[in-house]
mmCIF file of all heavy atoms in Angstrom:
data_model
loop_
_atom_site.group_PDB
_atom_site.id
_atom_site.type_symbol
_atom_site.label_atom_id
_atom_site.label_comp_id
_atom_site.label_asym_id
_atom_site.label_seq_id
_atom_site.Cartn_x
_atom_site.Cartn_y
_atom_site.Cartn_z
ATOM 1 N N HIS A 108 -50.569 -31.762 46.093
ATOM 2 C CA HIS A 108 -49.811 -30.770 45.312
ATOM 3 C C HIS A 108 -49.431 -31.363 43.954
ATOM 4 O O HIS A 108 -49.304 -32.558 43.807
ATOM 5 C CB HIS A 108 -48.500 -30.464 46.058
ATOM 6 C CG HIS A 108 -48.654 -30.108 47.473
ATOM 7 N ND1 HIS A 108 -48.767 -28.815 47.901
ATOM 8 C CD2 HIS A 108 -48.730 -30.898 48.622
ATOM 9 C CE1 HIS A 108 -48.905 -28.786 49.250
ATOM 10 N NE2 HIS A 108 -48.825 -30.039 49.716
ATOM 11 N N ASN A 109 -49.161 -30.484 43.049
ATOM 12 C CA ASN A 109 -48.550 -30.822 41.726
ATOM 13 C C ASN A 109 -47.016 -30.818 41.919
ATOM 14 O O ASN A 109 -46.579 -30.136 42.825
ATOM 15 C CB ASN A 109 -48.976 -29.886 40.650
ATOM 16 C CG ASN A 109 -50.250 -30.307 39.981
ATOM 17 O OD1 ASN A 109 -50.821 -31.356 40.271
ATOM 18 N ND2 ASN A 109 -50.677 -29.522 39.017
ATOM 19 N N PRO A 110 -46.281 -31.557 41.105
ATOM 20 C CA PRO A 110 -46.750 -32.328 39.983
ATOM 21 C C PRO A 110 -47.314 -33.716 40.332
ATOM 22 O O PRO A 110 -47.937 -34.369 39.546
ATOM 23 C CB PRO A 110 -45.532 -32.441 39.122
ATOM 24 C CG PRO A 110 -44.396 -32.460 40.067
ATOM 25 C CD PRO A 110 -44.843 -31.532 41.186
ATOM 26 N N GLY A 111 -47.085 -34.179 41.608
ATOM 27 C CA GLY A 111 -47.474 -35.537 41.922
ATOM 28 C C GLY A 111 -48.969 -35.823 41.784
ATOM 29 O O GLY A 111 -49.303 -36.928 41.299
ATOM 30 N N LEU A 112 -49.831 -34.867 42.144
ATOM 31 C CA LEU A 112 -51.214 -35.142 42.062
ATOM 32 C C LEU A 112 -51.697 -35.285 40.604
ATOM 33 O O LEU A 112 -52.450 -36.222 40.302
ATOM 34 C CB LEU A 112 -52.027 -34.022 42.738
ATOM 35 C CG LEU A 112 -53.503 -34.311 43.059
ATOM 36 C CD1 LEU A 112 -53.560 -35.369 44.178
ATOM 37 C CD2 LEU A 112 -54.185 -33.048 43.471
ATOM 38 N N HIS A 113 -51.170 -34.423 39.734
ATOM 39 C CA HIS A 113 -51.513 -34.522 38.307
ATOM 40 C C HIS A 113 -51.068 -35.823 37.742
ATOM 41 O O HIS A 113 -51.761 -36.544 37.025
ATOM 42 C CB HIS A 113 -50.962 -33.330 37.569
ATOM 43 C CG HIS A 113 -51.319 -33.287 36.136
ATOM 44 N ND1 HIS A 113 -50.576 -32.674 35.178
ATOM 45 C CD2 HIS A 113 -52.403 -33.755 35.463
ATOM 46 C CE1 HIS A 113 -51.175 -32.784 33.999
ATOM 47 N NE2 HIS A 113 -52.293 -33.427 34.169
ATOM 48 N N GLU A 114 -49.809 -36.190 38.022
ATOM 49 C CA GLU A 114 -49.251 -37.409 37.526
ATOM 50 C C GLU A 114 -50.025 -38.655 38.033
ATOM 51 O O GLU A 114 -50.285 -39.592 37.310
ATOM 52 C CB GLU A 114 -47.765 -37.535 37.875
ATOM 53 C CG GLU A 114 -46.923 -36.460 37.171
ATOM 54 C CD GLU A 114 -45.544 -36.321 37.699
ATOM 55 O OE1 GLU A 114 -45.202 -36.869 38.780
ATOM 56 O OE2 GLU A 114 -44.757 -35.545 37.080
ATOM 57 N N LEU A 115 -50.444 -38.607 39.282
ATOM 58 C CA LEU A 115 -51.232 -39.663 39.854
ATOM 59 C C LEU A 115 -52.565 -39.820 39.092
ATOM 60 O O LEU A 115 -52.957 -40.911 38.653
ATOM 61 C CB LEU A 115 -51.519 -39.438 41.307
ATOM 62 C CG LEU A 115 -52.479 -40.473 41.999
ATOM 63 C CD1 LEU A 115 -51.880 -41.855 42.040
ATOM 64 C CD2 LEU A 115 -52.854 -39.970 43.375
ATOM 65 N N ALA A 116 -53.256 -38.693 38.869
ATOM 66 C CA ALA A 116 -54.533 -38.720 38.134
ATOM 67 C C ALA A 116 -54.369 -39.320 36.728
ATOM 68 O O ALA A 116 -55.145 -40.148 36.324
ATOM 69 C CB ALA A 116 -55.126 -37.315 38.080
ATOM 70 N N VAL A 117 -53.344 -38.894 36.065
ATOM 71 C CA VAL A 117 -53.071 -39.393 34.700
ATOM 72 C C VAL A 117 -52.776 -40.880 34.689
ATOM 73 O O VAL A 117 -53.280 -41.664 33.886
ATOM 74 C CB VAL A 117 -51.947 -38.606 34.039
ATOM 75 C CG1 VAL A 117 -51.448 -39.241 32.779
ATOM 76 C CG2 VAL A 117 -52.399 -37.146 33.784
ATOM 77 N N GLU A 118 -51.972 -41.316 35.690
ATOM 78 C CA GLU A 118 -51.620 -42.770 35.813
ATOM 79 C C GLU A 118 -52.848 -43.603 36.119
ATOM 80 O O GLU A 118 -53.058 -44.686 35.556
ATOM 81 C CB GLU A 118 -50.554 -42.938 36.833
ATOM 82 C CG GLU A 118 -49.196 -42.406 36.457
ATOM 83 C CD GLU A 118 -48.529 -43.119 35.278
ATOM 84 O OE1 GLU A 118 -48.806 -44.317 35.018
ATOM 85 O OE2 GLU A 118 -47.703 -42.452 34.629
ATOM 86 N N LEU A 119 -53.686 -43.097 37.044
ATOM 87 C CA LEU A 119 -54.872 -43.861 37.445
ATOM 88 C C LEU A 119 -55.835 -44.000 36.268
ATOM 89 O O LEU A 119 -56.452 -45.029 36.074
ATOM 90 C CB LEU A 119 -55.563 -43.228 38.623
ATOM 91 C CG LEU A 119 -54.817 -43.336 39.956
ATOM 92 C CD1 LEU A 119 -55.543 -42.562 41.061
ATOM 93 C CD2 LEU A 119 -54.651 -44.787 40.365
ATOM 94 N N ALA A 120 -56.021 -42.921 35.539
ATOM 95 C CA ALA A 120 -56.968 -42.944 34.393
ATOM 96 C C ALA A 120 -56.401 -43.809 33.299
ATOM 97 O O ALA A 120 -57.122 -44.504 32.581
ATOM 98 C CB ALA A 120 -57.223 -41.548 33.898
#
Side-chain angles (χ1 to χ4, degrees):
H108 310 267
N109 271 359
L112 196 69
H113 185 206
E114 293 166 353
L115 174 66
V117 168
E118 292 292 336
L119 289 175

